[in-house]
């Protein structure tokens, strides 16, 4: 291809991008776009929100993804991951990993805590990204629709744990996510995330201030709140996200979802698989930042 031909092709590509951008703006202004019952805006997510998250994912945290082929190409599935980092950036990075790397172009719908949906701006953005309340009813509806659903059962116990307990999984609650998967016959895909623990090393917790503000914890890190707004910048750690082999649930009878011993065993199996993979990834990594 000659230089002149390349310029023509580049110009044509630029014209197509401008035309696509104008068409997108026209649809937003006229309301000619779809939002599902949960508030998920697929077009806005694909065209705007993922474009904002992608540089953080690719350039800042330099996320390496493993085992993406373990996520089913179609049908409902529950992705269960560890949770850490003081702020829930790990869920967002996991969402980008599935969106950008899955060969079937699947989207991950995250279950989020109540706090997310009472914060101004955050609430609206979370809904647009496809997040919904972490409750069994919403999770079952999404799985029944054939969606990928992401859950982090450690909740605030995981994301708000002290730095001294990094990469030690907290309790997974009562196994509600297993019951949800069993009712829908959806496979459970364990997911291990390394790198998020070190972005905001939590060395203390101002519990009194947390109670006053209505937060589950108020983190004290080597940089926050001492450096003001600069203390809110995460450390540029190197991340690895690994999706493990799915655990099938479609072989169990419908009443299995009410069996507490089965739920305990499956919950423990998922937890142990995530923990084992975390240890393996930690042994393999060269350093926190490279």
């Amino acid at each position: 291809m000659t230089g002149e031909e390349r310029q023509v092709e580049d110009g044509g590509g630029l014209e197509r991008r401008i035309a696509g951008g104008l068409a997108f703006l026209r649809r937003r202004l006229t309301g000619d776009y779809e939002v599902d019952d949960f508030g998920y805006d697929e077009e806005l997510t694909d065209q705007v929100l993922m474009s904002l998250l992608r540089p953080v994912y690719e350039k800042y945290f330099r996320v390496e993804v493993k085992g993406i082929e373990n996520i089913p190409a179609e049908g409902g599935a529950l992705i269960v991951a560890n949770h850490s980092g003081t702020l829930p950036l790990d869920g967002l990075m996991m969402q980008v990993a599935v969106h950008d790397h899955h060969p079937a172009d699947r989207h991950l719908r995250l279950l989020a805590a109540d706090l997310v949906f009472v914060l101004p701006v955050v609430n609206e953005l979370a809904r647009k990204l496809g997040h919904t309340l972490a409750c069994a009813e919403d999770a079952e509806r999404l799985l029944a629709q054939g969606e990928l659903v992401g859950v982090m059962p450690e909740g605030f116990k995981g994301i708000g744990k002290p730095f001294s307990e990094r990469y030690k999984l907290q309790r997974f609650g009562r196994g509600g996510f297993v019951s949800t998967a069993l009712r829908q016959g959806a496979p459970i895909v364990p997911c291990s995330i390394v790198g998020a623990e070190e972005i905001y090393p939590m060395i203390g917790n101002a519990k009194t201030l947390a109670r006053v503000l209505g937060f589950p914890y108020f983190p004290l890190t080597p940089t926050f709140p001492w450096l003001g707004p600069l203390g809110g910048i995460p450390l540029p750690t190197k991340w690895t996200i690994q999706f493990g082999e799915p655990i099938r649930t479609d072989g169990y009878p419908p009443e299995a979802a009410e069996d507490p011993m089965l739920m305990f065993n499956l919950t423990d199996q998922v937890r142990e698989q995530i923990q084992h993979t975390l240890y393996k990834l930690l042994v393999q990594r060269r350093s926190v930042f490279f």
Side-chain angles (χ1 to χ4, degrees):
M1 181 184 296
T2 66
E4 185 176 345
E5 290 172 334
R6 190 178 295 109
Q7 286 181 352
V8 172
E9 183 174 321
D10 291 345
L14 178 60
E15 289 178 1
R16 285 193 297 272
R17 288 195 294 271
I18 292 174
L22 291 174
F24 171 79
L25 289 174
R26 183 165 54 251
R27 288 192 297 273
R28 307 313 295 188
L29 292 173
T30 60
D32 185 22
Y33 59 91
E34 294 183 1
V35 176
D36 74 4
D37 294 341
F38 298 94
Y40 175 46
D41 190 331
E42 183 174 345
E43 182 184 52
L44 184 68
T45 296
D46 289 345
Q47 300 296 323
V48 178
L49 301 180
M50 282 294 156
S51 297
L52 295 175
L53 291 171
R54 194 168 290 118
V56 179
Y57 174 93
E58 293 180 347
K59 305 299 183 183
Y60 199 77
F61 293 134
R62 295 147 291 141
V63 181
E64 178 183 0
V65 179
K66 299 181 178 181
I68 195 74
E69 69 279 359
N70 288 319
I71 298 176
E74 58 184 17
L78 190 67
I79 298 179
V80 182
N82 59 303
H83 205 14
S84 64
T86 305
L87 291 181
L89 299 182
D90 50 0
L92 296 175
M93 295 301 102
M94 183 170 64
Q95 200 170 4
V96 178
V98 173
H99 183 277
D100 284 6
H101 294 281
H102 198 280
D105 297 323
R106 302 211 64 179
H107 295 75
L108 179 63
R109 309 292 295 273
L110 289 174
L111 302 181
D114 301 18
L115 179 61
V116 171
F117 301 106
V118 298
L119 296 174
V121 182
V122 173
N123 167 38
E124 187 68 20
L125 288 175
R127 289 290 185 188
K128 296 294 186 183
L129 270 166
H131 303 179
T132 190
L133 193 63
C135 64
E137 293 78 10
D138 284 2
E140 285 192 40
R141 282 181 61 194
L142 288 169
L143 289 173
Q145 294 171 12
E147 300 281 2
L148 285 180
V149 179
V151 62
M152 294 169 155
E154 292 176 280
F156 290 124
K157 298 189 302 294
I159 196 173
K161 65 178 178 288
F163 188 64
S164 59
E165 297 180 17
R166 59 193 179 279
Y167 298 113
K168 296 178 182 177
L169 290 184
Q170 305 299 296
R171 190 171 60 87
F172 269 19
R174 301 175 182 177
F177 69 91
V178 170
S179 176
T180 300
L182 284 168
R183 287 193 177 93
Q184 294 299 322
I188 300 172
V189 180
C191 176
S192 301
I193 304 173
V194 164
E197 292 276 17
E198 295 90 0
I199 61 173
Y200 296 110
M202 187 167 160
I203 57 176
N205 179 14
K207 295 181 180 179
T208 301
L209 185 56
R211 283 195 296 270
V212 170
L213 296 175
F215 294 158
Y217 55 87
F218 189 90
L220 303 176
T221 77
T223 59
F224 182 84
W226 331 113
L227 297 184
L230 288 177
I233 300 175
L235 296 177
T237 57
K238 174 74 171 63
W239 288 35
T240 301
I241 299 178
Q242 179 160 335
F243 299 97
E245 293 186 7
I247 299 170
R248 298 182 63 89
T249 66
D250 54 357
Y252 295 98
E255 61 271 17
E258 309 301 328
D259 183 346
M261 186 56 66
L262 176 61
M263 284 196 294
F264 175 82
N265 290 336
L266 284 175
T267 300
D268 194 53
Q269 180 182 351
V270 174
R271 188 179 182 279
E272 285 301 315
Q273 189 167 332
I274 294 172
Q275 184 71 81
H276 177 74
T277 303
L278 285 174
Y279 287 147
K280 185 171 68 174
L281 292 173
L282 288 171
V283 169
Q284 293 173 351
R285 77 172 177 176
R286 293 175 298 172
S287 76
V288 173
F289 298 102
F290 303 102

